[in-house]
Amino acid sequence: MRLLNTFLRLITLGNAAAHLSGLQGLSWSNRLALPFLTLAWSQPASGWRSHLVLLLPALIGQIGLATLRRRQLDPKQQLRPGRYPDRQIVRLDLPARHGPVPALHIVPHGGTKTAVLVTHGSGCDKTFYAWRLVDELIAHGAAALLIDLDGHGESPRPQAFPHMVDSVADPIDWLRQRYAQVGAIGMSLGGAVLARAVANGASVDALALWEVPPRLRLDARAYRQVQIREALAILQLRMLHLFRDGAVDHVIRAWQTSGIRATISTWDLFDALAFPNSLRTLARREPPLPTLLVYAGRDAIVPPAAAAEVAALAAGWAEYHLLPFASHISLPIDLECITLTVDWLARHLNQPAFTTGLGSE
């Protein structure tokens, strides 16, 4: 009986901690969290050794109960087309010279004069862990345009060069026809494609690039090591914020994508995109284009020497940040990175909160 009471103590403590921290995806009761905790801890239990032994089973039980209880808590539902209290989401196929670009156009109620294009990383798609970034943009009064890169998500075309550069430039032109101010955020591969499109003449007013490798050189063995290092790096308490929005199974399933369909390998694609050359082109602009570069201190794909190379290319004209505790996988969902970027965009798009107006479909 004491062992059972010890187990109940631990599982009610975990539930109360999740509830009080706002981690609804890890909680199995809200209203009764503190009464359950008080009741469990008023009962006799075993000593501290039993608490240690039962800690892991209690954690497993806590996650299992929370997953069953929070079945409806799916953060990707926030990106489904429809009308919401603070925004409207429309699924579009944007016209482009090589064929339609699948997109989600997300506009705050009341409209806005500012929009931000978002390009995802390799192997991802337009909705990949994008809900928190979208929330920040909407909270600041900006519209968001999430697109699928060629070869990814719903795109009907394979990953190919230089076609996918055009498939980013054309949505920028689409935004230009509808908004007074256009910003852009590109992640890893999406950042390399976006930088090349802007260097080639696509018009944005502010450009934010996250963890873009200057080049990519990984054989099969090195890639496996990178996967292990990235998996270990993402196991951080700072990533628990994901469970404010979703249950454990939904947060994990959000990782699943359709993969890549390609006529050029990702390694060769990075060579063709020539990200360092794009930065050199942008650096010669007069006046300089406001550019933000954000990198991760625990990035296994962009090693310190590569990040230092980008910092050197940015010196004197762009703003560079290194977030020491982030990894390549975690940076796009790191709250510090998201807040830093959206605040920076707000400053460089000429208003502390993006000016309201009319954004059209």
Side-chain angles (χ1 to χ4, degrees):
M1 189 65 181
R2 286 179 179 270
L3 285 176
L4 177 60
N5 287 342
T6 301
F7 179 82
L8 292 175
R9 273 190 174 193
L10 291 171
I11 204 169
T12 54
L13 178 62
N15 178 66
H19 168 64
L20 294 173
S21 302
L23 303 175
Q24 297 306 303
L26 295 177
S27 167
W28 45 266
S29 175
N30 290 340
R31 186 177 58 183
L32 298 177
L34 295 181
F36 277 157
L37 180 66
T38 302
L39 178 62
W41 283 73
S42 68
Q43 303 302 311
S46 304
W48 65 270
R49 292 181 186 274
S50 297
H51 283 75
L52 289 178
V53 169
L54 291 173
L55 187 60
L56 180 58
L59 178 61
I60 294 172
Q62 170 71 28
I63 293 174
L65 285 173
T67 301
L68 291 172
R69 179 69 177 81
R70 305 298 180 189
R71 295 296 305 165
Q72 81 289 353
L73 198 61
D74 182 357
K76 291 195 78 169
Q77 297 294 323
Q78 300 174 34
L79 296 174
R80 285 196 169 185
R83 191 170 183 86
Y84 298 84
D86 62 345
R87 72 194 75 176
Q88 183 172 3
I89 303 178
V90 178
R91 167 65 172 81
L92 301 171
D93 285 307
L94 302 178
R97 70 197 82 172
H98 302 298
V101 176
L104 291 176
H105 188 208
I106 307 169
V107 183
H109 289 329
T112 176
K113 295 181 180 179
T114 301
V116 177
L117 174 75
V118 179
T119 57
H120 59 76
S122 178
C124 305
D125 59 34
K126 60 184 175 297
T127 64
F128 190 80
Y129 287 90
W131 60 85
R132 188 58 62 84
L133 174 60
V134 168
D135 285 348
E136 279 294 306
L137 290 169
I138 293 297
H140 279 72
L145 185 70
L146 313 181
I147 65 170
D148 281 328
L149 295 177
D150 288 358
H152 296 72
E154 298 178 296
S155 174
R157 293 169 301 284
Q159 174 175 284
F161 181 85
H163 298 75
M164 68 190 307
V165 178
D166 299 330
S167 296
V168 168
D170 292 339
I172 291 175
D173 290 342
W174 186 88
L175 287 175
R176 271 286 171 219
Q177 297 169 23
R178 291 161 174 79
Y179 293 92
Q181 294 281 309
V182 175
I185 301 171
M187 312 173 193
S188 194
L189 176 62
V193 178
L194 177 61
R196 181 62 179 266
V198 174
N200 287 354
S203 176
V204 298
D205 300 297
L207 177 65
L209 303 170
W210 294 351
E211 59 183 10
V212 182
R215 65 196 58 80
L216 206 56
R217 292 286 183 273
L218 293 173
D219 56 27
R221 180 173 178 274
Y223 185 64
R224 285 194 298 271
Q225 291 176 340
V226 161
Q227 288 179 310
I228 294 171
R229 288 170 58 192
E230 283 289 330
L232 293 175
I234 203 172
L235 298 176
Q236 304 179 51
L237 290 176
R238 62 195 288 118
M239 290 295 103
L240 285 177
H241 73 85
L242 291 171
F243 300 109
R244 295 178 191 170
D245 307 309
V248 174
D249 58 334
H250 290 308
V251 169
I252 293 173
R253 277 206 294 266
W255 198 268
Q256 298 172 349
T257 68
S258 59
I260 305 172
R261 303 168 300 283
T263 61
I264 182 174
S265 74
T266 302
W267 315 149
D268 293 336
L269 180 58
F270 271 104
D271 286 344
L273 290 168
F275 179 58
N277 289 343
S278 296
L279 291 181
R280 293 185 185 99
T281 299
L282 295 176
R284 291 193 292 267
R285 287 197 176 180
E286 272 309 323
L289 173 69
T291 302
L292 173 70
L293 298 155
V294 185
Y295 282 77
R298 296 183 179 181
D299 196 323
I301 292 176
V302 185
E309 177 185 347
V310 173
L313 290 168
W317 68 277
E319 186 172 329
Y320 176 90
H321 290 267
L322 182 70
L323 304 187
F325 298 108
S327 69
H328 198 82
I329 289 176
S330 73
L331 185 71
I333 52 179
D334 191 294
L335 293 181
E336 183 179 359
C337 177
I338 292 171
T339 301
L340 165 71
T341 301
V342 176
D343 287 348
W344 180 89
L345 284 169
R347 291 196 305 274
H348 288 276
L349 294 176
N350 300 326
Q351 53 270 341
F354 300 115
T355 304
T356 58
L358 294 177
S360 59
E361 306 308 331

